[in-house]
Amino acid sequence: MQTIYYDLRDTKGQQKEIEDKISAAAKILREGGLVGIPTETVYGLGANGLDGKAVKRIFEAKGRPQDNPLILHVTGPQWLPRYCADIPPIAYVLARKFWPGPLTMILKRKPIVPDETTAGLDTVGMRCPNHPVTLAIIREAGVPIAAPSANTSGRPSCTTAQDVLEDMNGKIEGVVDGGPCTVGVESTILDLTCEPPRLLRPGGLPLEDLERLIGHIDVDKAVTTPLKEGEQPKAPGMKYRHYAPKAPVTVFTGAPDASAREIQRRVGPTSGVICFDEYAHLFQGQEVHTLGPSGDKLAQAQRVFDALRTFDSSSVTEIYAQCPDNRGLGLAIGNRLKKAAGFHVVEADSHRIVLGLTGGTGAGKTSALNAIRELGGTVIDCDAVYHEMLENSQEMRNAINAKFPGVFDQDGKLNRQKLGQEVFAQKDRLAQLNEIVFGFMTPELDRRMESAGDGLFAIDAINLLESGADRLCDRTIAVTAPTELRVRRIMARDGITEQYARLRISAQKPDEYYRGKCDCELNNAADTPEAFQAEAKLFFTRLIETITEEKRRASK
Ligand code: TXA
Ligand code: MG
């Protein structure tokens, strides 16, 4: 069979030509054929979901086990009552908010949906994909499109039309190219036939977004743990070994610096590495696929399948993969990596908890750090570490001397005034100094915590986010406070005028900056430092509980 390629990457061009291609794809589907279709998550392998014979061909083309049901793709909530029974009102609440988008809802099915589509279950998965081309194809076909991910069963999912051709060329009637997928991991699957709703598969729509709208959601065990012999997951597909390259995969969880270090300990000449961009330079002798910056989960989601796919045709003997934390898209990315690894997971820093604190002057960082000390934590003051390193770290001193000749005098003493004059007069000189200092600082902080052993640490740094020290942290926390309170506090603390206090605050980054970039915020509106310290202690206690629970789950 010849697979026809329809290029629909550009939908702004010749409208007639575009409509013709969409009609052609819809026609194939209506007549019982198979078409690879783009969605925002991954490419799907579509067939008319009401045509049992057509659906059967999907299973043959993919080599998919017969007991694994398919999702029906529709163009909006108005399609739900045609195929689903006993629809709870919450389904419409969710659809209104998140459709079109990466959410699949499991609902009771009506008899019109054939057994081939649902693999005999009395429920059916419903999804409205957020891709204009596929929405137009479904509308034109006038039938719901049953579509699993377009990969051969067991292989990583396809995020480009080229991937689909690699797996399906000659086996299906057509492939529609709608460009690379913008989300990169499959839809989130939520079972609405139980109470509370249950997450069967984490995906492109974060669990937190769902819970914010509808409250608590149970997370199915199959999401985070391997199944025992004979155990049946609620989403049949979750039981199969998935996404797996030929070489065995080991996944490393924990703060990115710690997981990179663990991988570094293990790599040999024939190991492959999947890591965040910042760590690629550590693995120069290895075949490396990067996932994107450690702080950019959307980039990681877009690249995770490609990284796994590429290793499929490589001769590495084992693959070590860095894994993001479980928050936001991280839960889905981690789930795909762990499934590829058969849940072979190493928790890199299971007994260390690192909190990064940052924020402007007068907000209450000192009280917050006291609360950490009360909880038995060790506080690392980056400013102090910097000054120690200026004295003791020959490497850092050499690096500074190379860029700022003459700032060290003959007997090696730093002329602070001279350095200060240079960097405060010129922004790019300050950036150069920071680049040097930050490069030495983060590994030094890591070493200090390593040699201190397990336990709780707080990193206190005004430049926490700029220096990269946030990559050592389980959570970054913005300590903020209303400006008027800050003004009064600084005046009392430092015995300065109101005008000068305001000047100092306005010379710093605003609270919104820290609030927007940190994982969480600790806002200080308390009347006294003691009251704030008590509040902070409670806040950290809860946060530490959450992180401990996360680490426990991640390492299982
Ligand atoms: O993002 C996605 O959802 C992509 C694109 C193409 O839409 N589709 C996709 O389909 O990932 P597939 O077949 O690769 O994965 C569907 C998963 C399987 O694990 C299957 O077992 C589960 O959904 N599933 C489908 N219908 C179900 C049902 N009625 N009850 C429980 N799980 C179901
Ligand atoms: Mg799949």
Side-chain angles (χ1 to χ4, degrees):
M1 176 188 312
Q2 201 193 334
T3 303
I4 306 171
Y5 171 81
Y6 298 97
D7 186 353
L8 279 162
R9 282 174 297 178
D10 176 15
T11 49
K12 299 206 173 55
Q14 271 290 323
Q15 282 313 303
K16 171 82 173 63
E17 211 178 286
I18 291 164
E19 279 162 28
D20 287 350
K21 289 178 189 168
I22 285 171
S23 301
K27 182 161 179 282
I28 298 177
L29 289 166
R30 260 199 318 273
E31 291 173 352
L34 304 185
V35 182
I37 49 172
T39 84
E40 79 282 31
T41 57
V42 299
Y43 272 76
L45 181 51
N48 174 356
L50 303 180
D51 177 350
K53 251 177 48 200
V55 168
K56 251 193 153 129
R57 284 193 49 215
I58 293 181
F59 286 84
E60 284 156 19
K62 274 182 65 94
R64 180 173 172 112
Q66 293 288 341
D67 67 349
N68 197 358
L70 306 180
I71 295 169
L72 280 186
H73 295 67
V74 298
T75 64
Q78 69 279 15
W79 291 56
L80 288 177
R82 301 180 204 163
Y83 312 110
C84 307
D86 308 334
I87 304 168
I90 205 168
Y92 290 102
V93 173
L94 286 163
R96 223 175 296 129
K97 173 95 180 165
F98 296 118
W99 276 9
L103 170 67
T104 295
M105 299 190 282
I106 305 294
L107 295 162
K108 279 250 142 47
R109 74 150 153 164
K110 280 188 171 166
I112 182 175
V113 184
D115 276 343
E116 284 85 351
T117 298
T118 68
L121 296 178
D122 59 359
T123 56
V124 60
M126 302 296 295
R127 154 158 153 77
C128 174
N130 189 13
H131 196 294
V133 169
T134 287
L135 286 173
I137 292 172
I138 302 171
R139 220 169 278 128
E140 172 87 17
V143 290
I145 303 300
S149 50
N151 51 289
T152 299
S153 239
R155 287 204 73 195
S157 302
C158 302
T159 52
T160 65
Q162 259 46 54
D163 290 345
V164 180
L165 283 171
E166 190 180 298
D167 282 19
M168 292 297 150
N169 199 9
K171 297 181 178 169
I172 62 179
E173 278 77 3
V175 172
V176 175
D177 191 343
C181 299
T182 52
V183 175
V185 290
E186 299 92 335
S187 61
T188 301
I189 303 183
L190 190 65
D191 187 352
L192 293 179
T193 65
C194 48
E195 187 49 57
R198 176 175 285 264
L199 180 79
L200 303 187
R201 177 177 75 182
L205 180 63
L207 176 61
E208 293 90 331
D209 292 6
L210 286 166
E211 288 195 319
R212 214 170 293 131
L213 185 69
I214 62 167
H216 175 78
I217 291 168
D218 280 343
V219 176
D220 201 70
K221 239 174 54 195
V223 170
T224 48
T225 48
L227 292 161
K228 302 204 182 67
E229 274 285 311
E231 212 172 353
Q232 283 297 328
K234 286 208 62 173
M238 293 293 275
K239 74 170 169 260
Y240 297 105
R241 181 158 185 253
H242 257 102
Y243 318 125
K246 275 170 280 171
V249 181
T250 307
V251 168
F252 293 76
T253 61
D257 274 35
S259 53
R261 188 175 55 234
E262 281 296 321
I263 294 175
Q264 250 189 314
R265 278 193 194 138
R266 287 172 173 78
V267 281
T270 59
S271 314
V273 174
I274 296 176
C275 68
F276 304 125
D277 291 0
E278 298 92 321
Y279 303 93
H281 71 278
L282 300 177
F283 306 108
Q284 290 188 3
Q286 273 78 38
E287 182 176 340
V288 174
H289 293 291
T290 54
L291 284 176
S294 63
D296 186 350
K297 285 179 176 151
L298 183 57
Q300 295 160 29
Q302 287 166 351
R303 273 142 84 165
V304 63
F305 282 131
D306 193 47
L308 289 167
R309 256 187 181 263
T310 321
F311 272 121
D312 235 357
S313 53
S314 140
S315 58
V316 296
T317 52
E318 66 269 320
I319 297 163
Y320 297 127
Q322 247 184 321
C323 185
D325 65 60
N326 277 337
R327 281 168 291 144
L329 281 176
L331 187 64
I333 302 161
N335 170 266
R336 305 307 188 268
L337 285 170
K338 287 171 193 173
K339 288 195 72 158
F343 285 92
H344 187 230
V345 179
V346 174
E347 168 65 38
D349 57 359
S350 55
H351 302 294
R352 187 212 270 185
I353 291 182
V354 186
L355 306 179
L357 269 69
T358 189
T361 177
K365 232 168 35 162
T366 311
S367 304
L369 292 166
N370 281 337
I372 302 242
R373 290 194 188 91
E374 266 193 79
L375 291 168
T378 306
V379 171
I380 304 178
D381 173 356
C382 287
D383 209 40
V385 173
Y386 167 59
H387 285 107
E388 272 176 51
M389 290 174 76
L390 277 180
E391 303 283 326
N392 306 327
S393 162
Q394 201 49 53
E395 280 173 306
M396 186 170 98
R397 289 163 58 97
N398 291 346
I400 293 177
N401 200 35
K403 276 262 150 82
F404 298 87
V407 297
F408 292 97
D409 64 21
Q410 245 117 38
D411 44 343
K413 233 177 111 51
L414 176 72
N415 185 338
R416 272 169 212 264
Q417 216 182 346
K418 195 162 179 190
L419 183 63
Q421 270 164 5
E422 250 193 82
V423 297
F424 289 121
Q426 298 170 60
K427 264 205 164 135
D428 55 327
R429 291 297 269 164
L430 179 62
Q432 283 171 1
L433 178 65
N434 278 343
E435 196 184 315
I436 297 170
V437 172
F438 294 162
F440 285 97
M441 181 75 110
T442 306
E444 172 65 19
L445 296 174
D446 195 26
R447 269 194 297 277
R448 288 184 183 215
M449 291 191 285
E450 268 278 278
S451 57
D454 298 345
L456 172 65
F457 295 90
I459 297 178
D460 167 18
I462 181 90
N463 281 324
L464 183 74
L465 308 164
E466 297 77 11
S467 65
D470 57 335
R471 296 197 305 266
L472 297 164
C473 301
D474 293 294
R475 287 288 196 289
T476 52
I477 297 131
V479 184
T480 60
T483 309
E484 291 313 308
L485 282 180
R486 286 174 65 191
V487 171
R488 268 183 274 138
R489 285 190 200 125
I490 311 177
M491 285 168 61
R493 187 187 68 194
D494 302 341
I496 55 176
T497 64
E498 178 177 339
Q499 199 191 3
Y500 190 49
R502 286 192 192 279
L503 202 67
R504 278 202 12 212
I505 290 176
S506 64
Q508 297 185 338
K509 295 202 170 72
D511 276 359
E512 296 78 69
Y513 170 83
Y514 295 109
R515 190 176 292 134
K517 294 224 152 148
C518 287
D519 299 319
C520 29
E521 177 181 3
L522 178 57
N523 186 260
N524 175 5
D527 292 327
T528 62
E530 294 73 29
F532 178 54
Q533 191 170 322
E535 269 175 40
K537 191 172 167 188
L538 202 64
F539 171 88
F540 289 129
T541 307
R542 293 212 188 98
L543 189 58
I544 291 162
E545 270 168 23
T546 311
I547 296 170
T548 308
E549 174 60 20
E550 265 172 27
K551 289 186 186 254
R552 203 179 53 74
R553 261 188 292 158
S555 61
K556 264 203 306 206

